[in-house]
Amino acid sequence: MYRRIVCALDIGKLQKGERLLRRAAALADDGGEIIVVHVVEDVPSYLADLPQAVVTGAIKDSQEKFESLCHRMAIPAIVDTRTGRPATAILAVAEERKADLIIVGSHIPDLSNYFLGATADRIVRHAKCSVLVERG
């Protein structure tokens, strides 16, 4: 169905990540490409001044965990770990890779983002391709 899928995963929710990755594999065309995206959020300097080694370590750790997850699930995927704001980075990857689908998870909302999670909401509003939002 889709030739290039960006699958946005959260390192803190690997079980949900497995579900999203299975969904991406099921929706990808034969020979289609799956790009797993994880974003290490920047911590504002007024909250903490993290040493670069901590950020670099977080990037390396998430890259290794997602590569291992894809290998364990036997799903060939490109893992792209970025830093910044999650929605902005995910949308950038989708545009750079010319994705025709973004798969993103959403949490149970609170009052500030009632219908979708804040990241999922921003992606849905600004994506230039189809977006599948997985609840739960």
Side-chain angles (χ1 to χ4, degrees):
M1 292 185 77
Y2 297 95
R3 58 183 170 68
R4 195 164 290 122
I5 299 172
V6 167
C7 187
L9 303 182
D10 183 347
I11 197 93
K13 299 174 183 161
L14 286 179
Q15 188 173 13
K16 182 183 236 180
E18 288 181 19
R19 197 169 63 241
L20 294 176
L21 202 49
R22 273 192 220 95
R23 177 70 58 102
L27 292 173
D29 286 337
D30 287 338
E33 185 176 62
I34 297 171
I35 302 101
V36 170
V37 178
H38 174 67
V39 182
V40 176
E41 288 190 67
D42 291 330
V43 177
S45 59
Y46 61 85
L47 291 179
D49 192 15
L50 293 178
Q52 185 59 39
V54 172
V55 176
T56 303
I59 293 168
K60 184 177 184 236
D61 182 53
S62 62
Q63 185 79 18
E64 289 171 357
K65 282 186 179 171
F66 285 121
E67 286 172 356
S68 175
L69 175 67
C70 294
H71 180 72
R72 183 173 47 82
M73 293 180 69
I75 295 175
I78 298 164
V79 178
D80 189 342
T81 304
R82 306 253 174 136
T83 60
R85 296 181 63 202
T88 303
I90 293 163
L91 290 166
V93 171
E95 198 161 322
E96 290 166 15
R97 300 277 187 160
K98 297 178 178 37
D100 48 0
L101 178 66
I102 299 170
I103 298 177
V104 63
S106 180
H107 57 72
I108 296 172
D110 58 18
L111 291 176
S112 67
N113 48 19
Y114 188 71
F115 294 106
L116 296 174
T119 298
D121 179 53
R122 287 183 188 101
I123 291 169
V124 167
R125 283 188 282 122
H126 298 288
K128 294 179 182 174
C129 63
S130 297
V131 179
L132 185 147
V133 179
E134 180 80 21
R135 294 295 283 210

